[in-house]
Amino acid sequence: MSKLFVTKVLIFTIFIFLFSTVGETFLAFANTTDSLEDFREKFENESLLEDLTYNELDKLSDTEIEDLGVNTDNGAEEFNHEILDENFDFEASVDNLDISKMNEVEKKEFIKTIEEAAAISGTEEVELLEEALIGIFDGNSETFNDLKAAQEQLEENYVEKLEYEEIALFSKAKNLLFGSEKVYASNKQKGKVRVGVYFAGSVFNVAIGGVVGGGVSAVKSYIKKKGKKAATEGISRVATAQAKKLGIQTVRGVAIATVIGGAVSFALDYADIGVAIAKFLDSKDWYKNNGWIDITK
């Protein structure tokens, strides 16, 4: 009787342990799924400045502007006046956007631009986005000037943050970060450049801010000082040079300079110029308006 009782207790104990373990696994799965859904809702929302024009931005109070993620520090509206020179080399300035080659002062100012770009993006995963943007612009990074690799690294970092290693959830996460809910049958066959419009928009914002010498407020001051027509040419050259650095030479056979020119002439009305450019590219690529920039079939 004693042995039988001990055996029953052991079986019951094992059953309870297995039930608890399985239950915790399903609970963890549910919680992670909920987290992914929450992240999708937060990450795929519009950027905080999207559809907000500069005229509308001017009507907001400093507190309201700050709440949108825009830098309101003293001197935030100052820009690099060298870009007013007719002979200013915008392309060379884009080439020089390399954190690894900046001095401490330059690096500090450039990081501010990155922080603002992440803040206005609308995501609550600001630190992950900042890290990804730094990698794009750091010559010592494995993702330097590589949009696709940076996006993949961002996705991996998010999954790692959730501390969940299920392959199925990783595949799902890849369609939730900075992109669309639509899934392609084979991502590997869908283009050399395929990246979410909001991530690409943040990259363009950093490049533009880096050359102009500041963030949203500085770019606004530059446009006002230079005039929209002349500013369109300068910012188009910046965005085109940055796109080429990222490997984007054409969009459906049309030279990227031509496409960017059309994008910027429209985008300069809006406070989030980078996202406006990225969405314009998405409207002209092989898979239009799907939330991703697809440069090749």
Side-chain angles (χ1 to χ4, degrees):
M1 290 293 294
S2 178
K3 289 183 179 180
L4 180 60
F5 177 77
V6 171
T7 301
K8 289 182 177 181
V9 169
L10 286 174
I11 293 174
F12 180 75
T13 301
I14 292 172
F15 174 78
I16 293 297
F17 173 77
L18 290 175
F19 180 81
S20 299
T21 302
V22 172
E24 288 176 359
T25 300
F26 278 108
L27 181 60
F29 178 86
N31 289 339
T32 303
T33 302
D34 289 341
S35 297
L36 283 167
E37 290 299 324
D38 290 342
F39 184 70
R40 179 181 64 79
E41 292 177 2
K42 295 171 184 176
F43 239 130
E44 291 189 350
N45 283 338
E46 294 182 346
S47 73
L48 298 182
L49 301 185
E50 191 169 351
D51 299 328
L52 184 69
T53 66
Y54 278 118
N55 288 334
E56 292 170 332
L57 189 67
D58 285 336
K59 297 177 182 179
L60 301 180
S61 67
D62 288 344
T63 300
E64 290 173 321
I65 292 174
E66 187 175 356
D67 288 343
L68 291 173
V70 177
N71 179 18
T72 58
D73 293 344
N74 291 332
E77 295 185 355
E78 292 295 322
F79 63 92
N80 176 18
H81 282 261
E82 292 181 3
I83 64 177
L84 297 176
D85 191 320
E86 295 298 327
N87 297 317
F88 184 79
D89 193 336
F90 289 94
E91 290 76 14
S93 294
V94 173
D95 286 338
N96 291 331
L97 293 179
D98 183 348
I99 293 174
S100 68
K101 297 180 180 178
M102 296 179 182
N103 61 41
E104 289 303 314
V105 175
E106 292 170 335
K107 181 178 179 179
K108 182 179 180 181
E109 291 304 312
F110 190 67
I111 292 298
K112 282 185 180 180
T113 301
I114 288 177
E115 291 173 343
E116 184 189 67
I120 69 174
S121 70
T123 181
E124 293 189 15
E125 297 293 341
V126 173
E127 291 184 2
L128 286 181
L129 179 52
E130 287 179 5
E131 182 180 346
L133 291 173
I134 288 173
I136 285 281
F137 291 95
D138 185 354
N140 291 329
S141 170
E142 294 181 356
T143 59
F144 182 55
N145 287 333
D146 192 334
L147 262 180
K148 190 173 182 179
Q151 168 111 14
E152 291 174 353
Q153 184 63 55
L154 178 62
E155 295 162 359
E156 291 173 5
N157 288 345
Y158 177 62
V159 173
E160 182 179 336
K161 181 179 179 180
L162 294 180
E163 297 182 344
Y164 203 93
E165 298 178 353
E166 288 290 339
I167 295 177
L169 284 181
F170 174 72
S171 297
K172 181 179 180 180
K174 293 186 70 173
N175 296 288
L176 303 180
L177 293 165
F178 293 108
S180 170
E181 294 179 10
K182 297 180 181 180
V183 182
Y184 292 155
S186 176
N187 289 340
K188 293 182 180 180
Q189 299 177 2
K190 293 298 182 179
K192 295 179 180 178
V193 179
R194 178 176 184 270
V195 67
V197 293
Y198 290 104
F199 185 31
S202 295
V203 173
F204 281 123
N205 278 332
V206 172
I208 293 168
V211 173
V212 172
V216 172
S217 298
V219 174
K220 180 182 70 173
S221 295
Y222 165 62
I223 296 171
K224 184 177 180 180
K225 181 72 174 180
K226 189 71 174 177
K228 184 178 177 181
K229 183 177 181 180
T232 296
E233 180 183 354
I235 292 179
S236 292
R237 289 172 63 183
V238 172
T240 298
Q242 182 61 46
K244 288 181 177 179
K245 282 179 67 176
L246 299 171
I248 306 174
Q249 301 291 333
T250 62
V251 178
R252 297 190 68 179
V254 180
I256 188 61
T258 301
V259 180
I260 291 289
V264 173
S265 62
F266 161 78
L268 284 199
D269 286 331
Y270 296 93
D272 195 330
I273 295 176
V275 165
I277 292 173
K279 293 184 76 173
F280 189 89
L281 292 179
D282 181 32
S283 74
K284 301 295 182 182
D285 65 12
W286 290 103
Y287 305 91
K288 298 179 180 180
N289 301 314
N290 67 344
W292 297 87
I293 295 178
D294 305 273
I295 303 305
T296 59
K297 280 188 174 182

